[in-house]
Amino acid sequence: MKEDLVLPAPREAVTGGAGEPLLVVEGLTKHFPVQGGFPIRRTVGAVQAVDGIDLTVNVGESFGLVGESGCGKSTTGRLITRLLEPTGGTISYRGQDISHAGRKQLAPIRSEIQMIFQDPYSSLNPRQTVGKIISGPMEINGIEPDGGREKRVRELLEIVGLNPEHYNRFPHEFSGGQRQRIGVARALALEPKLIVADEPVSALDVSIQAQVVNLLKKVQQDLGIAFLFIAHDLAVVRHFSHRVAVMYLGKIIEVGDRTSIYTRPRHPYTHALLSAVPEVDLTDAGAGRRERIRLAGDVPSPIAPPSGCRFRTRCWKAQDKCAAEEPPLIRLSGNHDGHLTACHFPEEPTIEGREEDIVLDPALAALEEDAERQ
Ligand SMILES: Nc1ncnc2c1ncn2[C@@H]1O[C@H](COP(=O)(O)OP(=O)(O)OP(=O)(O)O)[C@@H](O)[C@H]1O
Ligand code: SF4
Ligand SMILES: [Mg+2]
Protein backbone atom coordinates (compact mmCIF):
# COMPACT_ATOMS: atom_id res chain seq x y z
CA MET A 1 0.00 0.00 0.00
CA LYS A 2 1.07 3.53 -0.78
CA GLU A 3 2.35 5.41 2.22
CA ASP A 4 0.05 8.22 3.29
CA LEU A 5 1.03 11.84 2.89
CA VAL A 6 1.55 13.54 6.18
CA LEU A 7 1.13 17.11 7.21
CA PRO A 8 3.00 18.65 10.08
CA ALA A 9 0.87 18.68 13.20
CA PRO A 10 0.05 22.27 14.09
CA ARG A 11 0.37 23.06 17.77
CA GLU A 12 -3.39 23.44 18.15
CA ALA A 13 -3.83 19.87 16.91
CA VAL A 14 -1.76 18.58 19.79
CA THR A 15 -3.45 20.85 22.27
CA GLY A 16 -6.95 19.93 21.15
CA GLY A 17 -7.89 23.11 19.30
CA ALA A 18 -10.54 25.41 20.69
CA GLY A 19 -11.11 25.77 24.39
CA GLU A 20 -8.85 26.86 27.13
CA PRO A 21 -6.47 24.11 28.24
CA LEU A 22 -6.97 22.96 31.82
CA LEU A 23 -4.56 20.04 31.91
CA VAL A 24 -1.58 19.75 29.59
CA VAL A 25 0.50 16.59 29.66
CA GLU A 26 3.71 16.41 27.64
CA GLY A 27 6.05 13.46 27.23
CA LEU A 28 4.60 11.87 30.35
CA THR A 29 6.49 8.72 31.31
CA LYS A 30 6.24 6.18 34.10
CA HIS A 31 8.66 3.27 34.26
CA PHE A 32 8.28 0.87 37.19
CA PRO A 33 11.58 -0.79 38.08
CA VAL A 34 11.69 -4.59 37.87
CA GLN A 35 13.76 -6.25 40.58
CA GLY A 36 15.61 -9.50 40.02
CA GLY A 37 18.78 -11.44 40.71
CA PHE A 38 19.93 -13.69 43.55
CA PRO A 39 21.29 -13.39 46.19
CA ILE A 40 21.55 -9.66 45.64
CA ARG A 41 18.39 -8.14 44.26
CA ARG A 42 18.86 -5.32 41.85
CA THR A 43 16.95 -3.49 39.15
CA VAL A 44 17.02 -5.60 36.01
CA GLY A 45 14.56 -3.76 33.85
CA ALA A 46 11.50 -1.53 33.79
CA VAL A 47 7.81 -1.87 33.10
CA GLN A 48 7.26 0.89 30.56
CA ALA A 49 3.71 1.52 31.76
CA VAL A 50 3.41 5.01 30.25
CA ASP A 51 5.99 5.98 27.69
CA GLY A 52 5.94 9.57 26.54
CA ILE A 53 2.33 10.61 26.09
CA ASP A 54 0.96 14.05 25.22
CA LEU A 55 -2.61 15.03 25.93
CA THR A 56 -4.63 18.10 26.73
CA VAL A 57 -7.97 18.30 28.50
CA ASN A 58 -9.72 21.62 28.03
CA VAL A 59 -11.89 23.40 30.57
CA GLY A 60 -15.27 21.62 30.82
CA GLU A 61 -14.30 19.00 28.25
CA SER A 62 -14.84 15.31 28.55
CA PHE A 63 -11.88 13.36 27.24
CA GLY A 64 -11.98 9.58 26.83
CA LEU A 65 -8.88 7.41 27.25
CA VAL A 66 -9.32 3.92 25.87
CA GLY A 67 -7.23 0.77 25.52
CA GLU A 68 -6.87 -2.87 26.50
CA SER A 69 -5.96 -4.06 29.96
CA GLY A 70 -2.40 -3.18 30.96
CA CYS A 71 -1.85 -0.44 28.38
CA GLY A 72 -1.23 2.20 31.06
CA LYS A 73 -4.58 3.95 31.49
CA SER A 74 -4.76 3.78 35.28
CA THR A 75 -1.10 4.72 35.59
CA THR A 76 -1.84 7.81 33.47
CA GLY A 77 -4.80 8.68 35.71
CA ARG A 78 -2.73 8.20 38.85
CA LEU A 79 0.10 10.33 37.46
CA ILE A 80 -2.29 13.15 36.62
CA THR A 81 -3.88 13.07 40.07
CA ARG A 82 -0.34 12.88 41.42
CA LEU A 83 -0.88 9.65 43.29
CA LEU A 84 2.23 8.54 41.40
CA GLU A 85 5.45 10.36 40.69
CA PRO A 86 6.31 10.57 36.96
CA THR A 87 9.62 9.21 35.67
CA GLY A 88 9.67 11.92 33.00
CA GLY A 89 7.65 14.53 31.16
CA THR A 90 5.48 17.31 32.49
CA ILE A 91 1.97 17.75 33.87
CA SER A 92 0.65 21.30 33.87
CA TYR A 93 -2.59 22.19 35.55
CA ARG A 94 -3.99 25.66 34.85
CA GLY A 95 -0.58 26.69 33.61
CA GLN A 96 1.24 25.49 36.72
CA ASP A 97 3.81 22.71 36.42
CA ILE A 98 2.74 20.10 38.99
CA SER A 99 4.87 17.22 37.66
CA HIS A 100 6.93 16.98 40.82
CA ALA A 101 5.00 19.30 43.11
CA GLY A 102 5.20 18.45 46.79
CA ARG A 103 2.35 18.24 49.29
CA LYS A 104 2.44 21.94 50.09
CA GLN A 105 2.46 23.08 46.49
CA LEU A 106 -0.35 20.67 45.64
CA ALA A 107 -2.56 21.64 48.55
CA PRO A 108 -4.44 24.50 46.81
CA ILE A 109 -5.27 22.39 43.76
CA ARG A 110 -5.89 19.04 45.47
CA SER A 111 -9.58 19.87 45.77
CA GLU A 112 -9.84 20.82 42.10
CA ILE A 113 -8.74 17.43 40.78
CA GLN A 114 -10.74 14.45 41.99
CA MET A 115 -10.80 10.78 41.14
CA ILE A 116 -13.62 8.25 40.81
CA PHE A 117 -12.44 4.68 41.11
CA GLN A 118 -13.46 1.50 39.35
CA ASP A 119 -14.56 -0.53 42.33
CA PRO A 120 -17.43 0.99 44.33
CA TYR A 121 -17.06 -1.80 46.91
CA SER A 122 -13.48 -1.24 48.02
CA SER A 123 -13.32 2.52 47.49
CA LEU A 124 -15.83 3.38 50.24
CA ASN A 125 -14.99 2.89 53.91
CA PRO A 126 -17.50 0.28 55.16
CA ARG A 127 -17.42 1.67 58.71
CA GLN A 128 -18.41 5.21 57.77
CA THR A 129 -21.89 6.49 57.05
CA VAL A 130 -22.65 7.95 53.66
CA GLY A 131 -22.78 11.39 55.27
CA LYS A 132 -19.32 10.96 56.72
CA ILE A 133 -17.89 9.59 53.46
CA ILE A 134 -19.22 12.45 51.35
CA SER A 135 -18.33 15.17 53.85
CA GLY A 136 -14.84 13.68 54.35
CA PRO A 137 -13.13 15.76 51.63
CA MET A 138 -14.75 18.96 53.02
CA GLU A 139 -13.49 18.11 56.49
CA ILE A 140 -9.96 17.33 55.33
CA ASN A 141 -9.81 20.60 53.41
CA GLY A 142 -11.48 22.61 56.18
CA ILE A 143 -14.35 23.67 53.95
CA GLU A 144 -17.56 24.80 55.62
CA PRO A 145 -20.23 25.44 52.98
CA ASP A 146 -23.11 27.87 53.54
CA GLY A 147 -25.72 26.09 55.62
CA GLY A 148 -23.22 23.52 56.88
CA ARG A 149 -21.73 20.30 55.63
CA GLU A 150 -24.78 18.15 56.28
CA LYS A 151 -26.96 20.36 54.10
CA ARG A 152 -24.37 20.18 51.33
CA VAL A 153 -24.16 16.39 51.59
CA ARG A 154 -27.95 16.14 51.28
CA GLU A 155 -27.82 18.34 48.17
CA LEU A 156 -25.09 16.18 46.72
CA LEU A 157 -27.10 13.02 47.40
CA GLU A 158 -29.95 14.56 45.49
CA ILE A 159 -27.71 15.58 42.58
CA VAL A 160 -26.50 12.00 42.16
CA GLY A 161 -30.03 10.59 42.39
CA LEU A 162 -29.96 9.18 45.91
CA ASN A 163 -32.38 9.81 48.74
CA PRO A 164 -31.03 12.60 51.01
CA GLU A 165 -32.70 10.81 53.93
CA HIS A 166 -30.16 8.02 53.53
CA TYR A 167 -27.49 10.26 54.99
CA ASN A 168 -26.92 7.96 57.98
CA ARG A 169 -26.81 4.65 56.12
CA PHE A 170 -23.69 2.55 55.54
CA PRO A 171 -22.27 1.50 52.16
CA HIS A 172 -23.39 -2.14 52.52
CA GLU A 173 -27.00 -0.95 52.50
CA PHE A 174 -26.61 0.19 48.89
CA SER A 175 -26.33 -1.64 45.56
CA GLY A 176 -23.21 -1.38 43.38
CA GLY A 177 -24.73 1.32 41.20
CA GLN A 178 -25.82 3.33 44.25
CA ARG A 179 -22.38 2.99 45.78
CA GLN A 180 -20.82 4.38 42.63
CA ARG A 181 -23.25 7.31 42.96
CA ILE A 182 -21.91 7.86 46.46
CA GLY A 183 -18.39 7.90 44.96
CA VAL A 184 -19.56 10.52 42.47
CA ALA A 185 -21.10 12.64 45.26
CA ARG A 186 -17.82 12.46 47.20
CA ALA A 187 -15.88 13.53 44.10
CA LEU A 188 -18.26 16.49 43.64
CA ALA A 189 -18.07 17.64 47.25
CA LEU A 190 -15.20 20.07 46.64
CA GLU A 191 -16.57 21.47 43.36
CA PRO A 192 -13.72 20.06 41.28
CA LYS A 193 -12.66 21.38 37.89
CA LEU A 194 -11.31 18.02 36.70
CA ILE A 195 -12.45 14.49 37.52
CA VAL A 196 -10.37 11.49 36.54
CA ALA A 197 -12.85 8.61 36.33
CA ASP A 198 -10.98 5.31 36.09
CA GLU A 199 -13.33 2.74 34.54
CA PRO A 200 -16.17 4.02 36.73
CA VAL A 201 -18.74 1.58 35.40
CA SER A 202 -16.81 -1.58 34.53
CA ALA A 203 -17.46 -3.21 37.91
CA LEU A 204 -21.21 -2.62 37.60
CA ASP A 205 -23.93 -4.78 36.09
CA VAL A 206 -24.37 -4.01 32.42
CA SER A 207 -28.00 -3.08 33.12
CA ILE A 208 -26.99 -0.19 35.38
CA GLN A 209 -23.85 0.95 33.57
CA ALA A 210 -25.88 3.23 31.31
CA GLN A 211 -27.56 4.90 34.32
CA VAL A 212 -24.24 5.76 35.91
CA VAL A 213 -22.75 6.95 32.60
CA ASN A 214 -25.81 9.16 32.14
CA LEU A 215 -25.39 10.57 35.62
CA LEU A 216 -21.74 11.40 34.91
CA LYS A 217 -22.70 12.97 31.62
CA LYS A 218 -25.32 15.12 33.33
CA VAL A 219 -22.89 16.17 36.05
CA GLN A 220 -20.25 16.94 33.43
CA GLN A 221 -22.61 19.11 31.40
CA ASP A 222 -24.57 20.77 34.21
CA LEU A 223 -21.57 21.61 36.35
CA GLY A 224 -19.08 22.16 33.50
CA ILE A 225 -16.52 19.80 35.01
CA ALA A 226 -13.75 18.46 32.78
CA PHE A 227 -13.46 14.67 32.77
CA LEU A 228 -10.71 12.27 31.90
CA PHE A 229 -12.85 9.19 31.41
CA ILE A 230 -10.88 5.96 31.32
CA ALA A 231 -12.44 2.86 29.76
CA HIS A 232 -11.25 -0.33 28.14
CA ASP A 233 -13.68 -0.24 25.26
CA LEU A 234 -14.97 2.41 22.95
CA ALA A 235 -18.66 1.77 23.64
CA VAL A 236 -18.73 3.53 27.01
CA VAL A 237 -16.79 6.65 26.05
CA ARG A 238 -18.73 7.05 22.82
CA HIS A 239 -21.68 8.50 24.68
CA PHE A 240 -19.59 10.61 26.91
CA SER A 241 -16.51 12.12 25.34
CA HIS A 242 -15.88 15.15 23.18
CA ARG A 243 -12.48 13.75 22.28
CA VAL A 244 -11.01 10.28 22.54
CA ALA A 245 -7.44 9.00 22.78
CA VAL A 246 -6.58 5.37 22.12
CA MET A 247 -3.67 3.90 24.07
CA TYR A 248 -1.59 0.84 23.31
CA LEU A 249 1.33 -0.39 25.42
CA GLY A 250 2.08 2.93 27.07
CA LYS A 251 1.63 5.13 23.98
CA ILE A 252 -1.22 7.13 22.51
CA ILE A 253 -1.64 5.76 19.01
CA GLU A 254 -4.63 7.82 17.87
CA VAL A 255 -6.49 10.84 19.20
CA GLY A 256 -9.25 12.99 17.80
CA ASP A 257 -12.72 14.32 18.28
CA ARG A 258 -15.40 11.72 18.82
CA THR A 259 -16.88 11.85 15.32
CA SER A 260 -13.47 11.55 13.70
CA ILE A 261 -12.43 8.61 15.83
CA TYR A 262 -15.69 6.71 15.43
CA THR A 263 -16.33 7.35 11.76
CA ARG A 264 -12.89 7.94 10.27
CA PRO A 265 -10.40 5.93 12.37
CA ARG A 266 -7.00 5.55 10.68
CA HIS A 267 -5.00 3.37 13.04
CA PRO A 268 -5.46 -0.39 12.57
CA TYR A 269 -5.78 -0.82 16.35
CA THR A 270 -8.62 1.71 16.54
CA HIS A 271 -10.33 -0.19 13.74
CA ALA A 272 -9.92 -3.39 15.71
CA LEU A 273 -11.30 -1.82 18.89
CA LEU A 274 -14.24 -0.36 17.02
CA SER A 275 -15.09 -3.64 15.40
CA ALA A 276 -15.31 -5.12 18.88
CA VAL A 277 -17.92 -2.53 19.91
CA PRO A 278 -21.21 -4.33 19.52
CA GLU A 279 -23.45 -1.30 19.43
CA VAL A 280 -21.57 0.71 16.83
CA ASP A 281 -23.73 0.60 13.75
CA LEU A 282 -21.26 0.84 10.94
CA THR A 283 -24.01 1.38 8.42
CA ASP A 284 -24.17 4.89 9.89
CA ALA A 285 -21.43 6.04 7.60
CA GLY A 286 -22.74 4.22 4.58
CA ALA A 287 -20.73 1.04 5.11
CA GLY A 288 -22.11 -1.95 3.32
CA ARG A 289 -21.73 -4.43 6.16
CA ARG A 290 -20.55 -4.85 9.70
CA GLU A 291 -16.78 -4.65 9.88
CA ARG A 292 -15.07 -7.45 11.72
CA ILE A 293 -11.47 -7.26 12.74
CA ARG A 294 -10.06 -9.70 15.15
CA LEU A 295 -6.92 -9.22 17.11
CA ALA A 296 -4.49 -12.12 17.23
CA GLY A 297 -2.42 -13.03 20.24
CA ASP A 298 -1.79 -11.19 23.46
CA VAL A 299 -0.57 -7.72 24.23
CA PRO A 300 3.27 -7.94 24.42
CA SER A 301 5.02 -7.31 27.73
CA PRO A 302 5.58 -3.65 28.58
CA ILE A 303 8.98 -4.72 29.98
CA ALA A 304 10.25 -5.45 26.47
CA PRO A 305 7.88 -3.78 24.02
CA PRO A 306 8.36 -4.44 20.29
CA SER A 307 10.77 -2.13 18.43
CA GLY A 308 9.33 0.51 16.11
CA CYS A 309 5.55 0.37 16.23
CA ARG A 310 4.44 -1.39 19.40
CA PHE A 311 1.33 -2.74 17.69
CA ARG A 312 3.29 -4.50 14.94
CA THR A 313 3.22 -7.99 16.51
CA ARG A 314 -0.57 -7.99 16.19
CA CYS A 315 -1.00 -5.81 13.13
CA TRP A 316 -2.16 -7.33 9.87
CA LYS A 317 -0.52 -4.54 7.89
CA ALA A 318 2.94 -4.63 9.48
CA GLN A 319 5.94 -4.25 7.16
CA ASP A 320 9.71 -3.97 7.72
CA LYS A 321 9.47 -0.24 8.32
CA CYS A 322 7.13 -0.86 11.27
CA ALA A 323 9.88 -2.76 13.13
CA ALA A 324 12.58 -0.24 12.25
CA GLU A 325 10.91 3.11 12.90
CA GLU A 326 8.49 4.24 15.52
CA PRO A 327 5.59 5.99 13.77
CA PRO A 328 5.14 9.56 15.04
CA LEU A 329 1.71 10.76 16.21
CA ILE A 330 0.79 13.14 13.40
CA ARG A 331 -2.05 14.53 11.38
CA LEU A 332 -2.56 12.53 8.20
CA SER A 333 -3.74 14.12 5.00
CA GLY A 334 -7.52 14.08 4.76
CA ASN A 335 -7.94 14.18 8.51
CA HIS A 336 -9.40 16.97 10.55
CA ASP A 337 -7.34 19.23 12.74
CA GLY A 338 -6.74 17.55 16.02
CA HIS A 339 -7.08 14.01 14.65
CA LEU A 340 -3.62 12.49 15.03
CA THR A 341 -2.51 8.97 14.18
CA ALA A 342 0.72 7.04 14.76
CA CYS A 343 0.95 4.59 11.87
CA HIS A 344 3.19 4.19 8.80
CA PHE A 345 0.47 2.49 6.75
CA PRO A 346 -2.84 3.83 8.02
CA GLU A 347 -6.26 2.58 7.05
CA GLU A 348 -8.43 4.52 4.65
CA PRO A 349 -10.52 7.16 6.45
CA THR A 350 -13.63 5.02 6.39
CA ILE A 351 -15.18 2.24 8.35
CA GLU A 352 -16.44 0.32 5.36
CA GLY A 353 -16.58 -3.42 5.78
CA ARG A 354 -13.33 -5.22 5.15
CA GLU A 355 -13.06 -8.04 2.67
CA GLU A 356 -10.91 -10.30 4.77
CA ASP A 357 -11.81 -11.62 8.14
CA ILE A 358 -8.76 -11.14 10.23
CA VAL A 359 -7.50 -13.59 12.85
CA LEU A 360 -9.65 -13.85 15.90
CA ASP A 361 -8.78 -13.23 19.49
CA PRO A 362 -8.84 -16.75 21.01
CA ALA A 363 -11.28 -15.80 23.78
CA LEU A 364 -13.64 -14.14 21.33
CA ALA A 365 -13.40 -17.16 19.04
CA ALA A 366 -14.38 -19.50 21.85
CA LEU A 367 -17.37 -17.33 22.72
CA GLU A 368 -18.49 -17.20 19.11
CA GLU A 369 -18.17 -20.95 18.70
CA ASP A 370 -20.23 -21.45 21.84
CA ALA A 371 -22.89 -19.09 20.57
CA GLU A 372 -23.03 -20.93 17.23
CA ARG A 373 -23.41 -24.29 18.93
CA GLN A 374 -26.35 -23.14 21.03
N1 LIG B 1 3.02 -0.27 40.95
C1 LIG B 1 3.37 -0.96 39.86
N2 LIG B 1 4.54 -1.64 39.82
C2 LIG B 1 4.91 -2.32 38.72
N3 LIG B 1 4.19 -2.39 37.60
C3 LIG B 1 3.01 -1.75 37.58
C4 LIG B 1 2.53 -1.00 38.71
N4 LIG B 1 1.32 -0.45 38.38
C5 LIG B 1 1.06 -0.84 37.12
N5 LIG B 1 2.07 -1.62 36.63
C6 LIG B 1 2.16 -2.20 35.29
O1 LIG B 1 2.07 -1.16 34.35
C7 LIG B 1 1.30 -1.56 33.22
C8 LIG B 1 0.14 -0.62 33.05
O2 LIG B 1 -0.78 -0.81 34.12
P1 LIG B 1 -2.12 0.02 34.27
O3 LIG B 1 -2.75 -0.41 35.53
O4 LIG B 1 -1.81 1.45 34.11
O5 LIG B 1 -2.94 -0.47 33.03
P2 LIG B 1 -4.48 -0.25 32.66
O6 LIG B 1 -4.50 0.20 31.25
O7 LIG B 1 -5.13 0.60 33.68
O8 LIG B 1 -5.07 -1.71 32.73
P3 LIG B 1 -6.53 -2.22 33.21
O9 LIG B 1 -7.45 -2.01 32.04
O10 LIG B 1 -6.30 -3.66 33.48
O11 LIG B 1 -6.93 -1.44 34.41
C9 LIG B 1 0.90 -3.01 33.48
O12 LIG B 1 1.82 -3.85 32.83
C10 LIG B 1 1.01 -3.14 34.96
O13 LIG B 1 1.32 -4.46 35.33
S1 SF4 C 1 2.91 1.33 11.94
FE1 SF4 C 1 2.84 -0.65 10.91
S2 SF4 C 1 2.56 -2.16 12.53
FE2 SF4 C 1 2.06 -0.15 13.37
S3 SF4 C 1 -0.12 0.00 13.17
FE3 SF4 C 1 0.78 0.97 11.36
S4 SF4 C 1 0.91 -0.67 9.83
FE4 SF4 C 1 0.54 -1.65 11.80
MG1 LIG D 1 -6.72 0.31 35.01
Side-chain angles (χ1 to χ4, degrees), residues 339-358:
H339 183 160
L340 311 179
T341 310
C343 176
H344 295 307
F345 308 103
E347 297 281 0
E348 293 300 318
T350 165
I351 46 173
E352 253 173 59
R354 302 170 57 83
E355 285 308 308
E356 70 268 52
D357 235 5
I358 298 151

Side-chain angles (χ1 to χ4, degrees), residues 55 61-62 70 76 85 113 153 174 224 230 244 249 271 339 369:
L55 62 87
E61 180 188 39
S62 109
T76 303
E85 186 72 14
I113 308 178
V153 170
F174 294 87
I230 296 172
V244 176
L249 265 188
H271 271 255
H339 183 160
E369 277 163 24

Side-chain angles (χ1 to χ4, degrees), residues 27-29 31 48-55 65-68 70-73 76 245-255 267 269 302 305-311 326-329 342:
L28 188 62
T29 303
H31 290 180
Q48 301 178 26
V50 174
D51 206 26
I53 65 166
D54 294 348
L55 62 87
L65 186 63
V66 173
E68 280 169 289
C71 71
K73 306 179 298 295
T76 303
V246 180
M247 249 185 120
Y248 188 80
L249 265 188
K251 302 255 184 208
I252 289 180
I253 54 91
E254 187 150 38
V255 57
H267 198 286
Y269 182 59
S307 64
C309 173
R310 292 188 174 186
F311 185 56
E326 183 178 338
L329 186 64

Side-chain angles (χ1 to χ4, degrees), residues 26 59 79 144 170 183 237 254 275:
E26 286 176 318
V59 172
L79 287 166
E144 190 65 57
F170 288 89
V237 292
E254 187 150 38
S275 74

Side-chain angles (χ1 to χ4, degrees), residues 13-305:
V14 182
T15 59
E20 192 189 328
L22 180 69
L23 175 83
V24 180
V25 165
E26 286 176 318
L28 188 62
T29 303
K30 181 69 188 178
H31 290 180
F32 294 106
V34 178
Q35 306 288 323
F38 183 82
I40 300 161
R41 290 180 68 77
R42 58 197 164 84
T43 301
V44 292
V47 178
Q48 301 178 26
V50 174
D51 206 26
I53 65 166
D54 294 348
L55 62 87
T56 297
V57 182
N58 294 319
V59 172
E61 180 188 39
S62 109
F63 189 96
L65 186 63
V66 173
E68 280 169 289
S69 186
C71 71
K73 306 179 298 295
S74 294
T75 305
T76 303
R78 296 170 75 85
L79 287 166
I80 288 168
T81 47
R82 290 300 327 277
L83 295 169
L84 282 174
E85 186 72 14
T87 311
T90 57
I91 305 165
S92 301
Y93 176 75
R94 292 216 273 153
Q96 189 189 346
D97 184 350
I98 58 161
S99 327
H100 302 283
R103 252 172 179 279
K104 232 176 162 179
Q105 202 189 338
L106 280 177
I109 57 165
R110 268 266 177 250
S111 61
E112 296 186 13
I113 308 178
Q114 294 293 314
M115 195 150 179
I116 298 173
F117 297 92
Q118 176 174 355
D119 185 357
Y121 295 90
S122 64
S123 58
L124 305 178
N125 185 339
R127 283 178 293 277
Q128 289 186 342
T129 63
V130 166
K132 182 94 181 143
I133 290 171
I134 300 173
S135 62
M138 293 187 249
E139 226 162 275
I140 293 168
N141 289 276
I143 290 168
E144 190 65 57
D146 289 346
R149 287 182 193 145
E150 183 172 335
K151 178 166 171 272
R152 180 73 185 131
V153 170
R154 287 177 192 273
E155 282 167 10
L156 287 165
L157 284 170
E158 215 156 354
I159 289 173
V160 300
L162 293 172
N163 186 345
E165 298 309 313
H166 293 168
Y167 182 90
N168 280 318
R169 296 202 177 177
F170 288 89
H172 72 263
E173 298 176 69
F174 294 87
S175 68
Q178 288 171 327
R179 286 187 212 203
Q180 200 55 308
R181 287 173 192 266
I182 297 169
V184 176
R186 176 177 56 183
L188 295 178
L190 298 178
E191 300 179 7
K193 292 189 164 52
L194 173 68
I195 292 182
V196 175
D198 189 359
E199 304 213 31
V201 298
S202 11
L204 305 176
D205 279 357
V206 175
S207 57
I208 49 167
Q209 286 189 355
Q211 293 172 16
V212 176
V213 171
N214 285 338
L215 166 68
L216 293 170
K217 200 170 161 185
K218 191 167 164 10
V219 159
Q220 195 269 324
Q221 287 170 350
D222 292 356
L223 306 177
I225 300 170
F227 265 75
L228 180 70
F229 193 108
I230 296 172
H232 60 259
D233 69 61
L234 280 158
V236 172
V237 292
R238 182 174 203 220
H239 300 289
F240 192 83
S241 306
H242 299 121
R243 282 188 303 138
V244 176
V246 180
M247 249 185 120
Y248 188 80
L249 265 188
K251 302 255 184 208
I252 289 180
I253 54 91
E254 187 150 38
V255 57
D257 65 52
R258 177 181 44 191
T259 315
S260 243
I261 292 292
Y262 284 87
T263 63
R264 299 162 59 83
R266 304 299 301 273
H267 198 286
Y269 182 59
T270 313
H271 271 255
L273 282 185
L274 272 173
S275 74
V277 173
E279 64 175 310
V280 172
D281 178 6
L282 296 169
T283 55
D284 266 6
R289 68 181 181 87
R290 178 80 164 82
E291 180 183 19
R292 301 181 54 75
I293 301 172
R294 297 149 171 201
L295 285 176
D298 295 324
V299 182
S301 163
I303 297 176

